[in-house]
Amino acid sequence: MANPYEVAFEQSMNDPDGFWGKAAEDVAWTKKWDKVLDDSNKPFYRWFVGGELNTCYSALDLHVEEGRGDQPALIYDSPVTDTIKSYTYKELTDEVAKFAGVLAAQGVTKGDRVLIYMPMIAEAAIAMLATVRIGAVHSVVFGGFAAAELATRINDAKPKVIVSASCGIEVTKVIKYKPLLDEAIEIAESKPEKCVIIQRPMETASMIEGRDVDWVEAMGTAQPADCVPVAATDPCYILYTSGTTGQPKGVVRDTGGHVVALKWTMKNIYNVDAGDTYWAASDVGWVVGHSYIVYGPLFKGCTTILFEGKPVGTPDAGVFWRVISQHKVKSMFTAPTAFRAIKREDPRAEMMKDYDLSNFKYLFLAGERLDPDTLKWAENNLGIPVIDHWWQTETGWAICANCEGLHHFPVKEGSPTKPAPGWNLQVVDESNNQVAAGQIGALVVKLPLPPGTLPTLWKNDPRYIESYLEEFPGYYKTADAGFIDDEGYAFVMSRTDDIINVAGHRLSTGAMEEVLSDHPEVAECAVLGVEDQLKGQVPVGFVVLNAGVDRSHDEIISEVVQMVRERIGPVASFKKATVVKRLPKTRSGKILRGTIQKIADNKDFKVPATIDDPTILGEMEEALNTIGLAKSRQ
Ligand code: COA
Ligand code: AMP
């Protein structure tokens, strides 16, 4: 007999209208949809056409009206400031309505963009919810990005208002956000009319008269604003993610599909109900933070945790266990790198023993490949299901998962289990033909994508088509390679483009190459992601200098490292680079990235038949040795 996962999956494939129409009945609409799926303008698909709703109402007011007003909605837990502050649904609704009033008073109306550049404080979530309350569109930018990256996003989203804070806290370092914001606005062509700034006690930002508004002062006089219903197909937010160039992609999330899909995932994938505590240890600047710190748990009526800290060092490797135990977390989500950090500091999980983890039922990991050692360590020490699941900024929720609310499949190492309902995942070769089970190819999803995924890129339909739909007609290209085995388990092996995952953060090596190429003494360069025990991958740069440059190589390297930090941001973790005489290339001039990567990672490799000059590989190995890589071949 088919299990509930199989039943749901089959229905989602054979009758998507029936399947998602039923899920949509669990959502509060101010106007019901006319059509579940509108496929009249392929390849653009639209969900819940004709429907109207408000995202903030679905996340907050609805629960107050349904009697959850006194339940904690959001717990801000900040070991770096020694603060724990809990907001009930009623309190959070009031705060958000008031801040929505602040935004409205600055002239923000339906469809306007509000850019949010904030550390992990409750006000970040309040600003997001307030924006969508008045039908505006937010774009959150991760705090670890530099001013230039922020400026690119300001130019693309053209926000009317920017919300930011005086500083963030990285373990013990105070990171001043406001000077970065001022610099970004200075560089950007598009200028916001106003900036609302929250002054944190550890740093007072200087304010620009006429433009900058103090959060606390504005809240003091604000009139609460009501929810403004928008069309299901109107944008809820834009989230920029790394593309293959320095120009990030503005992933758009629509309103109706987003609420329907995320609410559905809370029970069916994460197996949590209203009233349960759910914790995603990520950052609101990433998609995990959007979907599972803010929206998903609140749509479901859960208690969500917003954690300002790191898995280690704030104050120690026991902090995750402390948070889980203190707030009675049932289901948690983080990146494998966080667990590698804990395992490195506390290999025998001694610190876990100090805490009562009896409410903790599931650990979900995503963002990068889950290595078997980390999986085993977590399984053995926690004694609960450890679930790898695979998704992307673009998809907004899991393409593949062990859907715990439907059926638990035995875990296979290296696999995020099976496609979630709604995802017709296939593996194809270069000619777009399906390959046999077990064979590696491009992981693609047959269109239409389910609700809650990207309908397009912000103001850029051509790039949406070119990036995702053109190479494999009829399919969405995930840009991940992998295979599906004969039991239907998917395995995600690597990206097919130049995206790398550094501590679960998605970065483009192409964008770093653009920065390196701007150094006046660099003739040519390559940046690759090499394996790293803690972060999964880290970028490493190879630079060829212009003829006649006789300055110290160390000096030039430290300059390019600094340039990446200043132009992309510290989050790139670009710390290693080396000067080489030349780069290995094919006879037609293409850099042999795959071969360099294998040398760096100490993997076996074949000298490519197309290589221009094989002797160069020895030079590469020597260069890598100088920065502590490719060591075992010495
Ligand atoms: N604002 C400003 N700077 C930031 C920042 C932020 N929000 N987030 C990170 N940075 C800086 C860090 O301070 C660090 O700077 P440094 O080079 O001066 O030391 C740099 O960016 C790299 O940060 P990070 O990748 O976090 O590395 P780390 O060495 O500080 O910590 C881990 C390593 C594994 C502990 C950390 O990456 C982590 O907790 N990861 C969890 C996974 C996660 O949240 N993934 C998101 C997707 S689920
Ligand atoms: P992001 O858009 O930042 O969420 O990054 C998405 C990319 O991270 C995917 O395309 C994958 O390359 C990688 N990724 C995410 N989750 C997993 C996973 N569970 N296993 C392997 N790779 C993953």
Side-chain angles (χ1 to χ4, degrees):
M1 217 181 68
N3 65 47
Y5 159 81
E6 287 157 349
V7 173
F9 187 82
E10 281 315 307
Q11 200 208 345
S12 74
M13 293 294 109
N14 301 332
D15 176 20
D17 278 30
F19 184 83
W20 291 113
K22 183 161 174 267
E25 272 161 22
D26 195 24
V27 167
W29 301 83
T30 47
K31 179 173 173 289
K32 200 179 165 180
W33 64 91
D34 301 322
K35 212 165 187 289
V36 176
L37 172 66
D38 175 2
D39 59 1
S40 59
N41 182 29
K42 288 179 187 156
F44 296 95
Y45 296 87
R46 297 175 347 138
W47 289 95
F48 307 108
V49 173
E52 286 179 9
L53 73 168
N54 180 276
T55 302
C56 181
Y57 179 82
S58 307
L60 299 176
D61 307 60
L62 173 71
H63 304 302
V64 177
E65 286 168 19
E66 288 185 346
R68 296 198 167 274
D70 295 332
Q71 180 200 307
L74 183 140
I75 300 171
Y76 164 59
D77 187 314
S78 169
V80 294
T81 57
D82 204 10
T83 314
I84 294 178
K85 182 169 179 193
S86 179
Y87 297 78
T88 64
Y89 269 98
K90 174 82 178 72
E91 287 163 347
L92 193 59
T93 307
D94 291 346
E95 283 291 288
V96 167
K98 232 193 304 167
F99 193 65
V102 170
L103 292 175
Q106 307 310 319
V108 177
T109 57
K110 187 168 164 177
D112 285 339
R113 271 81 56 215
V114 173
L115 188 141
I116 299 169
Y117 183 61
M118 302 271 269
M120 283 290 286
I121 54 179
E123 288 79 359
I126 291 171
M128 291 165 77
L129 290 157
T131 303
V132 295
R133 186 173 186 87
I134 51 173
V137 179
H138 62 67
S139 185
V140 183
V141 178
F142 177 63
F145 281 122
E149 286 286 321
L150 180 55
T152 311
R153 288 153 172 81
I154 295 173
N155 279 336
D156 199 66
K158 302 191 175 22
K160 193 175 247 182
V161 168
I162 297 184
V163 186
S164 190
S166 58
C167 66
I169 302 159
E170 279 290 295
V171 188
T172 51
K173 274 182 297 177
V174 173
I175 312 279
K176 296 181 186 177
Y177 274 40
K178 183 63 175 19
L180 295 173
L181 174 65
D182 290 342
E183 190 189 336
I185 296 174
E186 181 77 34
I187 309 169
E189 278 160 26
S190 169
K191 312 280 182 196
E193 289 172 19
K194 297 280 178 188
C195 294
V196 183
I197 309 292
I198 181 145
Q199 300 278 17
R200 303 188 73 185
M202 51 299 287
E203 167 69 22
T204 304
S206 66
M207 304 286 269
I208 294 181
E209 201 151 335
R211 187 198 74 185
D212 295 345
V213 176
D214 181 274
W215 174 296
V216 177
E217 276 175 27
M219 286 290 264
T221 53
Q223 290 303 311
D226 272 343
C227 295
V228 175
V230 301
T233 50
D234 280 343
C236 166
Y237 69 76
I238 310 163
L239 179 57
Y240 288 89
T241 191
S242 299
T244 48
T245 64
Q247 183 65 35
K249 294 169 174 163
V251 168
V252 175
R253 194 78 59 214
D254 68 4
T255 300
H258 180 232
V259 182
V260 172
L262 288 191
K263 192 166 184 188
W264 181 90
T265 63
M266 293 311 293
K267 178 66 190 168
N268 292 285
I269 297 184
Y270 299 100
N271 202 10
V272 287
D273 293 293
D276 287 337
T277 305
Y278 180 89
W279 178 27
S282 177
D283 189 289
V284 288
W286 305 115
V287 69
V288 177
H290 282 62
S291 294
Y292 294 112
I293 294 175
V294 182
Y295 291 116
L298 296 179
F299 292 154
K300 189 70 187 169
C302 297
T303 300
T304 189
I305 295 173
L306 195 137
F307 173 71
E308 187 182 33
K310 299 248 177 185
V312 293
T314 60
D316 55 37
V319 70
F320 272 25
W321 322 133
R322 195 268 298 157
V323 172
I324 292 169
S325 137
Q326 188 164 350
H327 307 303
K328 300 192 168 40
V329 172
K330 178 175 178 191
S331 199
M332 175 191 191
F333 180 166
T334 192
T337 188
F339 268 69
R340 286 198 295 272
I342 297 171
K343 176 170 140 236
R344 194 165 76 168
E345 296 240 326
D346 181 19
R348 287 200 299 227
E350 300 286 353
M351 295 183 132
M352 206 183 267
K353 300 187 181 106
D354 300 340
Y355 299 98
D356 170 11
L357 303 183
S358 56
N359 290 289
F360 191 32
K361 301 293 180 227
Y362 303 101
L363 171 64
F364 285 85
L365 298 170
E368 53 172 330
R369 201 171 152 72
L370 172 56
D371 54 286
D373 278 358
T374 305
L375 170 67
K376 284 268 154 301
W377 186 87
E379 275 178 345
N380 292 342
N381 288 298
L382 289 167
I384 58 170
V386 177
I387 310 299
D388 182 10
H389 60 327
W390 165 56
W391 53 298
Q392 310 178 309
T393 305
E394 289 85 346
T395 68
W397 59 282
I399 309 168
C400 281
N402 213 335
C403 295
E404 291 298 321
L406 291 168
H407 180 77
H408 177 79
F409 287 97
V411 168
K412 287 195 192 183
E413 276 179 19
S415 171
T417 320
K418 304 197 182 202
W423 296 93
N424 188 347
L425 182 70
Q426 312 275 336
V427 187
V428 295
D429 63 17
E430 284 161 5
S431 319
N432 207 11
N433 295 318
Q434 275 184 42
V435 302
Q439 255 189 304
I440 295 187
L443 290 165
V444 295
V445 183
K446 193 159 188 312
L447 297 174
L449 294 180
T453 54
L454 83 170
T456 190
L457 294 176
W458 180 247
K459 301 237 182 276
N460 206 340
D461 288 347
R463 192 174 182 201
Y464 168 66
I465 293 182
E466 182 207 313
S467 308
Y468 304 108
L469 308 180
E470 216 159 62
E471 192 172 339
F472 303 105
Y475 294 95
Y476 163 81
K477 176 176 85 170
T478 65
D480 278 309
F483 65 92
I484 301 179
D485 74 5
D486 51 9
E487 291 183 309
Y489 281 66
F491 289 77
V492 183
M493 312 299 290
S494 60
R495 290 284 299 196
T496 56
D497 55 13
D498 68 359
I499 300 290
I500 57 170
N501 252 294
V502 182
H505 309 316
R506 173 168 159 178
L507 296 156
S508 157
T509 54
M512 293 183 221
E513 287 175 6
E514 283 177 19
V515 175
L516 264 50
S517 310
D518 275 351
H519 189 286
E521 283 157 323
V522 169
E524 212 183 5
C525 67
V527 176
L528 296 167
V530 304
E531 282 176 11
D532 182 78
Q533 288 257 310
L534 174 66
K535 299 195 176 187
Q537 284 184 301
V538 288
V540 171
F542 300 89
V543 293
V544 179
L545 301 180
N546 290 326
V549 172
D550 62 358
R551 264 198 323 131
S552 135
H553 288 181
D554 287 352
E555 229 170 82
I556 295 174
I557 292 302
S558 65
E559 284 163 15
V560 294
V561 165
Q562 192 54 28
M563 279 169 78
V564 174
R565 197 175 169 90
E566 274 165 17
R567 301 256 289 267
I568 296 182
V571 67
S573 293
F574 182 80
K575 301 212 161 138
K576 277 188 178 172
T578 181
V579 171
V580 288
K581 281 190 227 124
R582 47 207 181 131
L583 292 165
K585 290 188 183 166
T586 62
R587 281 189 282 276
S588 61
K590 263 183 85 178
I591 298 173
L592 287 161
R593 291 162 194 282
T595 312
I596 311 178
Q597 178 125 31
K598 288 205 170 99
I599 300 175
D601 289 342
N602 287 318
K603 298 240 168 79
D604 288 336
F605 67 93
K606 278 201 198 115
V607 177
T610 51
I611 193 164
D612 182 31
D613 173 7
T615 60
I616 204 172
L617 296 179
E619 286 171 30
M620 284 308 292
E621 221 165 312
E622 271 172 40
L624 282 160
N625 287 171
T626 63
I627 49 170
L629 294 166
K631 278 275 189 236
S632 65
R633 284 177 188 278
Q634 277 186 322

